[in-house]
């Protein structure tokens, strides 16, 4: 391919194929605003799994081969002539977006995640190569500097990677809905997003209640910043909290009863869905009518807010709890994600990808 080089990657060839070693084209960093990044760590988001297995076929069908991964931390290896913010050697990060039109009202308001022409880090049309965007399960990426973020120097890079999706996706709705001291906040599901939600709600001063289906996570939830833990399958425990929450963040990745959580909201309380299950959720109108409750959604966060979140994490010495894995364990990690067996984010050490490469593979 013209103006492109081959990068090493792990890709899925179809919805039923395991991820396996591959080479993918990356544009040469010739564009004046391009930043070329050697990827050091990439977090494993449940969205990677949904996308690889084409579980969102109606909203965003997967184009194969699919290279997922939108929680990227790496080192700058080359910059274009017009790049002002970064230089070779800087530790930087890339999240779920790599471009947008920069001109629409949403972009003007720093809400690029809602831009009608946003380019996601994977599974979006690639304007430069005419293919589909390929993401972080690879050894390098080339990104417009406007979508590259600064990493606070005091934080561990592996623990920073998940902030780029799990972090901003939980931080943004909490800021939007005014999570502060004195508010009672629920976090449903203690996985990658959920554990970051607990850390942020705690750092923002709220009274934090975790709802989990996994009794074995109680101790961890308290350590992460929860004030109380409710095992959501226990109806009596749920009932004790009826009508008492200001805000609930729902991070669950699979079908579940949303009404059970709506019933826990106080007057004018809000529940925000960030989890994106494959199938629609059933909603009882009465769960909303009572107490003038609202149900909303939220998608990641804009670039400026993502930088704000990273800086907040730098100030509060806050990172994700990661289980660092070699990329060769990725298929196993997906199976464990489906069993809610993660403490609390898998993060790929990309040195393992470079080590795997053998001489007979094209470079
Ligand atoms: N809106 C956005 O912009 C955005 C961004 C990133 C991810 N997402 C979506 O958010 C969801 C969560 O992502 P994640 O990476 O945090 O996933 P994850 O690490 O797998 O965590 C999901 C958690 O949900 C709970 N859970 C799983 N299955 C359940 C079930 N059947 N019933 C009740 N609870 C269940 C589990 O927590 P317990 O063991 O504590 O019950 C699990 O740990 C995914 O759907 C993902 O695609 C959305
Ligand atoms: Zn994600
Ligand atoms: Zn726009």
């Amino acid at each position: 391919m013209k103006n492109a080089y081959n990068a090493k990657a792990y890709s899925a060839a179809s919805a039923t194929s395991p991820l396996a070693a591959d080479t993918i084209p990356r544009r040469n960093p010739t564009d004046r605003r391009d930043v070329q990044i050697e990827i050091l760590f990439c977090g494993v988001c449940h969205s990677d799994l949904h996308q690889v297995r084409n579980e969102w076929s109606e909203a965003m069908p997967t184009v194969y081969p699919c290279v997922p991964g939108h929680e990227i931390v790496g080192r700058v290896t080359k910059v274009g002539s017009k790049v002002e913010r970064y230089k070779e050697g800087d530790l930087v990060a890339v999240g779920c977006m790599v471009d947008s039109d920069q001109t629409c009202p949403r972009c003007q308001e720093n809400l690029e995640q809602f831009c009608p022409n946003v380019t996601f880090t994977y599974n979006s049309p690639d304007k430069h190569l005419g293919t589909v965007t390929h993401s972080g399960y690879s050894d390098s990426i080339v990104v417009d500097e406007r979508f590259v973020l600064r990493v606070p120097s005091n934080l561990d890079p592996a623990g920073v990677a998940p902030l780029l999706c799990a972090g901003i996706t939980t931080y943004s709705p909490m800021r939007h809905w005014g999570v502060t001291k004195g508010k009672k906040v629920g976090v449903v599901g203690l996985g990658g997003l959920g554990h970051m939600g607990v850390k942020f709600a705690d750092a923002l001063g709220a009274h934090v209640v975790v709802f989990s289906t996994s009794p074995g996570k109680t101790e961890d939830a308290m350590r992460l910043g929860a004030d109380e833990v409710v095992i959501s399958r226990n109806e009596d425990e749920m009932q004790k909290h009826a009508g008492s929450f200001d805000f609930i963040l729902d991070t669950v990745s699979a079908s579940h009863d949303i009404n059970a959580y709506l019933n826990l909201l106080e007057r004018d309380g809000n529940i925000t869905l960030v989890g994106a299950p494959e199938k629609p959720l059933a909603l009882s109108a009465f769960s909303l009518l009572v107490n003038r409750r609202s149900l909303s959604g939220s998608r990641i966060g804009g670039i400026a807010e993502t930088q704000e979140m990273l800086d907040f994490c730098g100030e509060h010495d806050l990172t994700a709890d990661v289980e660092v894995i070699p990329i060769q364990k990725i298929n196993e990690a997906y199976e464990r994600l489906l069993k809610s067996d993660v403490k609390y984010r898998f993060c790929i050490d990309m040195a393992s990808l470079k080590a795997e490469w053998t001489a007979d593979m094209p470079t």
Side-chain angles (χ1 to χ4, degrees), residues 122-188:
Y122 55 76
N123 207 55
S124 272
D126 186 321
K127 286 187 221 162
H128 300 263
L129 298 177
T131 55
V132 69
T133 51
H134 288 139
S135 199
Y137 296 5
S138 62
D139 63 351
S140 70
I141 191 165
V142 180
V143 181
D144 184 308
E145 75 162 325
R146 289 172 291 201
F147 288 79
V148 177
L149 295 132
R150 281 184 310 277
V151 174
S153 58
N154 57 319
L155 301 179
D156 164 48
V160 167
L163 301 177
L164 277 299
C165 178
I168 185 60
T169 302
T170 50
Y171 179 86
S172 180
M174 288 200 184
R175 296 307 300 255
H176 181 78
W177 289 97
V179 169
T180 49
K181 198 168 164 52
K183 302 276 180 178
K184 185 171 173 183
V185 170
V187 176
V188 188

Side-chain angles (χ1 to χ4, degrees), residues 86-237:
Y86 304 103
K87 58 177 190 325
E88 200 184 318
D90 285 353
L91 192 65
V92 294
V94 177
C96 305
M97 304 178 283
V98 288
D99 208 354
S100 70
D101 60 24
Q102 306 277 318
T103 54
C104 77
R106 282 133 185 219
C107 286
Q108 302 289 308
E109 285 181 83
N110 295 322
L111 296 169
E112 300 89 350
Q113 73 273 33
F114 305 127
C115 171
N117 299 305
V118 63
T119 304
F120 290 114
T121 314
Y122 55 76
N123 207 55
S124 272
D126 186 321
K127 286 187 221 162
H128 300 263
L129 298 177
T131 55
V132 69
T133 51
H134 288 139
S135 199
Y137 296 5
S138 62
D139 63 351
S140 70
I141 191 165
V142 180
V143 181
D144 184 308
E145 75 162 325
R146 289 172 291 201
F147 288 79
V148 177
L149 295 132
R150 281 184 310 277
V151 174
S153 58
N154 57 319
L155 301 179
D156 164 48
V160 167
L163 301 177
L164 277 299
C165 178
I168 185 60
T169 302
T170 50
Y171 179 86
S172 180
M174 288 200 184
R175 296 307 300 255
H176 181 78
W177 289 97
V179 169
T180 49
K181 198 168 164 52
K183 302 276 180 178
K184 185 171 173 183
V185 170
V187 176
V188 188
L190 197 66
L193 266 58
H195 95 291
M196 286 312 306
V198 172
K199 290 190 184 203
F200 286 131
D202 180 49
L204 293 167
H207 180 87
V208 189
V209 182
V210 165
F211 294 93
S212 178
T213 57
S214 310
K217 293 181 183 173
T218 303
E219 224 173 272
D220 283 347
M222 301 299 281
R223 173 181 57 79
L224 293 165
D227 297 289
E228 298 178 60
V229 181
V230 172
I231 301 307
S232 51
R233 296 200 164 119
N234 182 328
E235 273 182 38
D236 292 342
E237 271 193 65

